Amino acid sequence: MRSITEHASYVVGLIGADIGPSLSPSLHEREAAELGLRYVYERIDIHELGLAPERVGELLREAQRLGFTGVNVTHPCKQTVVEHLTELSSDAAALGAVNTVVFDHGNAVGHNTDSPGFQESIVRGLPEVEMNRVVLLGAGGAGAAVAHAAMSLGVERLLVADTDRDRADSPARSLRRRYGADRASVPARLAAELARADGLINATPIGMATHPGAPVPLELLHDRLWVADVVYRPLETELLRHARRLGCRTLDGGGMAVFQAALSFALFTGHKPDHERMLRHFARLAEDAPAAAMRSG
Ligand code: NAD
C-alpha cells in the first residue's frame, strides 16, 4: 500500500465485508481517468483480514497514516465507524451512519452520500410523482438513508415497515423528532397502507441475486403506485418486473449506487464527476459483472 501512496495523487479505500465483487473501484477509477486524475481505489475486506466490524477504527487510523485521501465504508461498518471520526456532516449525524470518510489535516470527517444519492436518483428517475403517502420496506442502513431522503423530497407521510418491528420503530421515531410528529409511522396493517399509498420503496435485500423473491406479496401492488428499489444486483428485481407489468412507474437501484459514488468522489477530490458518464459506465459494469453478490460502497 505504501508504494501506491507514493505514486498517486488520490488513494481511496473501501472498508467492508465480502466486497470483492464491488463495482466501486472501477466506477471511481474510470471517472478519475476521464478527468485526468491519478486515483487508486483499494478494497480493504475485513473478512479477508479476519477482523470484526468493531476493528474498523484501526483500519481507519492505518489508512490515514499511509496517506489515503479517504475511504468509503460499507456493510457492516457504516455504524461502527462513527465513534472513530473527529467530525460528522449533518446528514451523517442525523443518520448515525457513514459511508464516506475524508481525511483532512489529521481529521477524519464522516459523510453519508447514500441519502442524497437516493434523492438525486428519485428526482431524475421519477420526476413529479405523488408524494403524499409512501411505504418504505426495510429499516436497516439503506432504509434509514432512504427515509431521510424521502423527507427531504417532501413525502408527507412515510410508513416504515420492517419484518423486525423493533428496527422500524427507531427510525420512525427519529424522523418524527426531526421532521414533525405526523410525517412518519410504522404501519399496523401493511396491505391497507399499500392500497392507499402513492409510492413503494424497497430498501430490503430481497430481490438481490443472493436473496431472490419479492419483499411483499405481489398481489398488493396496484397501478396507482410508483415503485423504487435500492437493490441493483440485478437491476430488474422481481418487484420491479411485476410493477412494470402493472403499468407502474419504476426506478431501479442503479441511480442511487452511481450518485452516492459520484458524491463521494467529489468529496475525495474536489472535482465534479460527470454523472451521465458514470451512469453509462455503471450500466456496462452491471451487465458484465459476475452474478455473485455485489455490495455498494
Ligand atoms: P440491512 O441488513 O441493514 O437492512 C435490511 C432490513 O430489511 C433489515 O432490517 C431486515 O429486517 C429488513 N427486511 C428484510 N426482509 C424484509 C421484508 N420482506 N419486509 C420488510 N423488511 C424486511 O441491509 P442494508 O445495508 O440496509 O441493505 C439493504 C439493501 O440495500 C441491500 O440489497 C443493499 O445492497 C442495498 N443498498 C443499495 C444501495 C445503492 O446504492 N443502490 C446502497 C446501500 C444499500
Side-chain angles (χ1 to χ4, degrees):
M1 277 199 276
R2 185 178 296 280
S3 64
I4 294 168
T5 61
E6 279 163 7
H7 293 105
S9 302
Y10 301 97
V11 182
V12 173
L14 170 61
I15 299 178
D18 303 323
I19 51 177
S22 170
L23 300 186
S24 290
S26 173
L27 204 53
H28 281 246
E29 286 180 350
R30 172 67 172 268
E31 184 57 21
E34 294 280 358
L35 292 171
L37 303 174
R38 293 164 73 187
Y39 192 104
V40 174
Y41 194 112
E42 285 285 303
R43 291 178 180 82
I44 304 168
D45 193 315
I46 61 167
H47 271 179
E48 278 179 12
L49 295 169
L51 297 177
E54 290 68 32
R55 306 268 302 272
V56 65
E58 292 163 42
L59 293 175
L60 215 57
R61 281 190 290 280
E62 189 62 5
Q64 197 165 12
R65 195 181 69 76
L66 288 168
F68 275 53
T69 310
V71 289
N72 281 133
V73 180
T74 189
H75 184 82
C77 300
K78 285 184 184 178
Q79 277 99 17
T80 53
V81 76
V82 169
E83 65 178 285
H84 303 286
L85 303 173
T86 44
E87 217 178 297
L88 287 179
S89 72
S90 59
D91 270 355
L95 287 165
V98 160
N99 76 334
T100 305
V101 179
V102 180
F103 300 130
D104 178 26
H105 297 97
N107 291 322
V109 184
H111 301 263
N112 189 304
T113 67
D114 285 332
S115 189
F118 179 76
Q119 197 173 326
E120 181 169 350
S121 181
I122 287 269
V123 168
R124 285 177 175 235
L126 289 174
E128 291 166 23
V129 287
E130 291 291 330
M131 295 269 182
N132 296 326
R133 298 182 76 86
V134 174
V135 173
L136 167 64
L137 301 172
V146 163
H148 282 267
M151 294 288 109
S152 305
L153 285 162
V155 169
E156 284 177 23
R157 190 166 184 95
L158 187 71
L159 292 310
V160 185
D162 196 295
T163 39
D164 177 348
R165 160 115 200 181
D166 290 346
R167 289 201 85 175
D169 276 334
S170 149
R173 247 196 325 274
S174 116
L175 291 171
R176 282 196 295 273
R177 262 199 314 272
R178 190 161 183 219
Y179 297 101
D182 56 348
R183 298 281 302 277
S185 59
V186 177
R189 290 176 310 129
L190 184 59
E193 287 300 347
L194 272 173
R196 59 182 184 145
D198 302 309
L200 169 65
I201 305 169
N202 176 40
T204 80
I206 311 299
M208 290 178 76
T210 48
H211 296 77
V216 279
L218 293 172
E219 58 272 19
L220 296 182
L221 303 194
H222 52 80
D223 62 3
R224 300 175 311 284
L225 272 178
W226 53 264
V227 181
D229 210 322
V230 305
V231 169
Y232 57 93
R233 188 72 180 166
L235 285 171
E236 183 170 83
T237 58
E238 197 172 324
L239 180 72
L240 291 187
R241 199 164 38 248
H242 186 77
R244 278 185 197 130
R245 267 195 229 118
L246 288 176
C248 304
R249 291 178 71 184
T250 60
L251 181 71
D252 66 46
M256 178 181 178
V258 169
F259 299 134
Q260 64 78 22
L263 292 163
S264 292
F265 182 95
L267 287 166
F268 291 139
T269 64
H271 289 269
K272 193 171 169 353
D274 181 330
H275 289 195
E276 300 302 331
R277 186 166 58 204
M278 288 184 80
L279 277 171
R280 288 195 297 277
H281 184 48
F282 178 85
R284 279 194 300 275
L285 288 172
E287 263 171 33
D288 296 347
M294 188 171 81
R295 290 224 176 259
S296 69

